[in-house]
Amino acid sequence: MLGTDPRSGRKNQPANDETLWMVGGGVLSLVIVGVMLWTLGAIIDPGVEQASNNPIQLLVDQARGYVPVGGMQLTVFALGMLLLLALALMLVVVYRRSNKHRSRIDHLAKEMAHSKDFAELGEAAATADTERLGAEKAGIGVPLAALVNSGKPLYGSWEWVQIWLMGPRAGKTTCVCIPQILETNGPVLATSNKRDIVDMTRGPRARVGTVWVHDVQGIIGEETTWWWNPLSFIHDMETAEKLADVFVSSATDAGAKQDAYFESDGKRLLSHLMFAAWVGKRPITDVFLWAQDPENMTARDTLKAHNYSALAKALEQIQKLTPKQRDGVYGTMRPWVNVLSYEQVIPWVRNMGIARPEFDHKAFAKSTDTLYLVSKEGGGSARAITAALVMAVMTEAERTAATQPGGRLKTPMMAVLDEAANVVRWRELPDVYSHYGSRGIVVSTFFQSYSQGVEAYGEKGMNKLWGAANIRVAGSGLSDDKFLPFLSQLIGDRDVLKRSSSTSNKSGRSVSSSVQREKIMDVSDLAALPRGRAILTSSGMPSGLIELKHFSTKPYAQDVEGSKAYYEGVAVEKGLVIDEN
Ligand SMILES: Nc1ncnc2c1ncn2[C@@H]1O[C@H](COP(=O)(O)OP(=O)(O)O)[C@@H](O)[C@H]1O
Ligand SMILES: [Mg+2]
């Protein structure tokens, strides 16, 4: 066969003897069928007397005029040939149709995982797995995409965590996040840096449980109808340190150079102040006030009054450093807590004396609620509040899971961390990733590139996150210079029959073949993956080519469109600028 390759820049291979045989065989079959029809026509045509049963004899007789050619014989021949032609045409049309939705790399799918390799991700296996986990209330499984080879939908287990890497506008939000949010009846935590995900899923999710939208930077204009106290995460010094760390990592990039001494003391100082605020039942905004004035001893006195004398002493030591050192430590810490002075942020983190519900992150894992967290980079470190809330909800979900049979949430919690690098600056995420799945906390993390993840969690952290994920997907729009060669290697090699033709005066043109190994997809193929296509890898399975399923192809498409139209309409009415990205 001719080695056709629809990718640009690839030459078709020269034709060889095989091709000639195929064309010759096709023509010969056509002649044989034609002759058979001609003979059959003659036999059943009463007008053709003395017709021989031998086709050759008949043809010779009729050519010589010994036997007449009958009308019915001609009709049978013509009709038979027409039927054959119609059949061939139909085959071409069906083939074309089935190829209409195929992209230029789909022919490579057969070199990758076959549908039986992915049986574990199929609907039947997913349903059985969900039954085993007793998670039927949540849904069939976590929707992923469809396998290009079979067109069948794929589902992830309620015990698996996922990582998705795709460039901007490649379909992360509309093809993956939205189905994952809507195809469960359990609690959902979703993050984003814009209104899209909220508008599109808020309507349908409001019918499942309460919807909480946290918009601490005022990105989508959500009113502060509720509040959450970040200090409620604290119950000992360790949790205070974790909370402080979220404020630090939200204000800095992983690996960014800071003075190690000042940073470590600054962090220690911040965790002591936060712990003191919690102990004294003060609002978190007090931490900002204390951070401005190294002479302010309220935090130390609070700790002392509540019998935390060792901590009070440690705090005092920092406050009593030489003025130069002390100013260095305070100066390093201040930018981390600046967010607590923002007018827009304050109503989200403290009770303003208005009757508003306080969000209880401890109850979330047992609810069927939806918590949307919207924030983005810039805007100071306001995303610290978002990251803190993610940390609080997930940590508490783990604790709740420990009290349930099998140490797992019976109805799993879905955490769809869209735009995670911008929104969820929680450095511990890669460390906790691997065991969240087994707790029934299904985390899907979305990045625009591998390097975006490195920026947020550090090289080690991102490698860990990738390694811990059970489902790993890389889609279109990626161009990382280290990640793509790695992915290409992961997909593996294939044997290809290479033909080369040579012409010489003596023997004329000759074609020779040899088997060679080449990458199934090389870096340029991966960099040019069309929208809607992605590579899925999972432990114990070969990589597979998948087709993302846009929400508009799902049964809830109307519901999503309706929700989007309604909430965007509300935003327009309020005079909010709609971010189209
Ligand atoms: N497979 C697809 N079929 C149809 N439209 C798509 C598909 N993938 C993405 N889109 C459209 O492209 C735009 C960007 O998609 P989006 O999901 O927001 O990308 P991302 O979240 O990766 O930036 C949206 O308007 C979306 O509807
Ligand atoms: Mg998106």
Side-chain angles (χ1 to χ4, degrees):
M1 246 196 71
L2 228 70
T4 50
D5 195 322
R7 292 171 290 179
S8 58
R10 308 283 174 116
K11 285 258 180 330
N12 290 342
Q13 291 192 35
N16 68 348
D17 300 352
E18 244 177 78
T19 321
L20 287 177
W21 279 113
M22 284 190 64
V23 174
V27 172
L28 194 70
S29 321
L30 199 71
V31 170
I32 291 175
V33 173
V35 170
M36 277 166 66
L37 281 169
W38 185 260
T39 314
L40 185 75
I43 293 170
I44 55 175
D45 191 339
V48 185
E49 287 160 11
Q50 299 152 336
S52 168
N53 280 348
N54 180 343
I56 310 282
Q57 186 67 51
L58 177 74
L59 278 175
V60 171
D61 287 351
Q62 286 191 323
R64 289 193 174 161
Y66 300 158
V67 175
V69 177
M72 191 187 280
Q73 181 190 12
L74 274 176
T75 317
V76 168
F77 175 76
L79 278 179
M81 288 310 258
L82 268 176
L83 203 73
L84 206 67
L85 197 72
L87 213 69
L89 264 175
M90 243 163 65
L91 279 176
V92 170
V93 168
V94 168
Y95 179 75
R96 283 255 169 117
R97 279 242 173 108
S98 68
N99 272 347
K100 209 167 124 193
H101 295 290
R102 297 181 79 80
S103 76
R104 66 182 175 279
I105 43 124
D106 284 2
H107 66 288
L108 296 174
K110 64 179 186 303
E111 311 283 348
M112 299 161 73
H114 299 150
S115 36
K116 67 174 185 308
D117 295 321
F118 269 46
E120 207 187 325
L121 303 181
E123 192 168 337
T127 312
D129 189 56
T130 304
E131 264 170 38
R132 176 181 68 84
L133 297 170
E136 294 95 331
K137 200 183 148 210
I140 300 176
V142 186
L144 301 172
L147 190 65
V148 166
N149 271 330
S150 63
K152 298 249 171 69
L154 301 175
Y155 295 89
S157 160
W158 291 111
E159 281 192 306
W160 288 354
V161 287
Q162 313 171 7
I163 180 168
W164 296 73
L165 308 178
M166 273 182 237
R169 305 195 70 70
K172 292 182 295 301
T173 304
T174 51
C175 302
V176 191
C177 297
I178 294 197
Q180 294 197 346
I181 292 171
L182 294 184
E183 291 180 37
T184 174
N185 293 310
V188 174
L189 179 155
T191 63
S192 180
N193 62 359
K194 43 186 170 293
R195 60 179 321 119
D196 55 2
I197 228 173
V198 186
D199 285 346
M200 290 193 257
T201 56
R202 192 174 183 169
R205 281 296 301 180
R207 293 197 294 271
V208 180
T210 308
V211 166
W212 308 80
V213 184
H214 196 256
D215 180 23
V216 75
Q217 287 164 315
I219 295 168
I220 69 171
E222 185 72 17
E223 276 162 33
T224 46
T225 50
W226 57 280
W227 68 289
W228 175 68
N229 180 9
L231 296 177
S232 63
F233 174 72
I234 298 179
H235 54 86
D236 53 16
M237 195 55 203
E238 194 191 336
T239 39
E241 276 166 9
K242 285 185 178 174
L243 185 62
D245 193 54
V246 162
F247 277 78
V248 180
S249 50
S250 295
T252 50
D253 281 339
K257 288 264 168 297
Q258 285 236 343
D259 186 304
Y261 166 76
F262 286 138
E263 175 166 348
S264 106
D265 261 21
K267 212 150 95 181
R268 214 153 59 85
L269 172 62
L270 181 57
S271 27
H272 280 78
L273 295 183
M274 284 180 163
F275 188 70
W278 172 70
V279 167
K281 296 200 168 47
R282 300 298 312 155
I284 192 170
T285 42
D286 276 18
V287 173
F288 172 78
L289 298 177
W290 298 339
Q292 306 313 306
D293 178 14
E295 311 274 332
N296 186 328
M297 291 296 171
T298 320
R300 183 205 60 182
D301 296 343
T302 310
L303 289 173
K304 231 186 218 167
H306 288 83
N307 296 326
Y308 290 101
S309 47
L311 292 177
K313 189 107 195 116
L315 178 56
E316 190 178 299
Q317 268 167 2
I318 300 175
Q319 293 188 292
K320 298 244 165 100
L321 286 169
T322 62
K324 200 167 163 225
Q325 282 176 317
R326 192 186 62 185
D327 290 349
V329 175
Y330 270 78
T332 306
M333 180 193 58
R334 266 181 217 123
W336 302 335
V337 291
N338 260 348
V339 50
L340 299 174
S341 67
Y342 298 170
E343 236 169 82
Q344 208 163 32
V345 172
I346 294 170
W348 286 105
V349 293
R350 62 175 292 183
N351 179 357
M352 310 284 286
I354 317 161
R356 293 179 304 162
E358 179 182 355
F359 179 76
D360 180 7
H361 67 264
K362 295 192 173 103
F364 188 74
K366 280 186 258 179
S367 74
T368 52
D369 294 356
T370 314
L371 173 63
Y372 295 100
L373 302 170
V374 191
S375 77
K376 61 180 180 189
E377 59 194 320
S381 54
R383 59 181 168 181
I385 313 291
T386 322
L389 189 42
V390 171
M391 172 176 75
V393 167
M394 305 247 271
T395 309
E396 199 55 43
E398 200 185 342
R399 212 167 288 146
T400 309
T403 65
Q404 299 197 356
R408 191 189 305 115
L409 289 179
K410 183 147 169 58
T411 302
M413 180 175 114
M414 197 63 231
V416 178
L417 308 183
D418 199 9
E419 303 290 348
N422 288 323
V423 186
V424 192
R425 287 298 179 101
W426 172 27
R427 264 194 283 223
E428 243 188 27
L429 182 67
D431 301 320
V432 293
Y433 219 60
S434 59
H435 67 265
Y436 267 4
S438 60
R439 298 269 182 255
I441 304 165
V442 183
V443 196
S444 286
T445 314
F446 297 80
F447 296 100
Q448 294 193 356
S449 65
Y450 200 86
S451 49
Q452 195 198 32
V454 170
E455 201 180 299
Y457 302 110
E459 185 100 41
K460 247 165 108 185
M462 187 60 183
N463 290 347
K464 209 168 184 176
L465 199 68
W466 176 268
N470 308 90
I471 295 284
R472 309 178 194 115
V473 184
S476 67
L478 297 176
S479 61
D480 305 51
D481 58 347
K482 275 197 236 149
F483 179 71
L484 289 187
F486 164 71
L487 187 63
S488 166
Q489 214 158 356
L490 210 63
I491 297 168
D493 297 326
R494 62 170 176 163
D495 286 332
V496 280
L497 195 63
K498 289 277 180 193
R499 286 189 286 273
S500 53
S501 68
S502 56
T503 322
S504 72
N505 285 340
K506 270 188 212 153
S507 53
R509 182 173 175 272
S510 69
V511 178
S512 60
S513 322
S514 64
V515 174
Q516 288 177 16
R517 283 189 86 68
E518 69 168 32
K519 292 259 167 288
I520 296 174
M521 284 202 183
D522 59 27
V523 171
S524 61
D525 293 328
L526 292 171
L529 267 183
R531 186 176 81 173
R533 290 292 180 274
I535 311 291
L536 187 153
T537 68
S538 174
S539 357
M541 284 178 207
S543 308
L545 187 65
I546 56 171
E547 179 188 358
L548 302 180
K549 288 289 178 198
H550 194 253
F551 74 81
S552 56
T553 66
K554 302 272 190 171
Y556 42 79
Q558 291 273 309
D559 218 359
V560 173
E561 291 293 359
S563 175
K564 182 169 179 245
Y566 176 78
Y567 288 103
E568 270 186 9
V570 171
V572 169
E573 242 168 59
K574 284 189 189 164
L576 295 163
V577 182
I578 297 169
D579 187 352
E580 286 292 345
N581 288 316

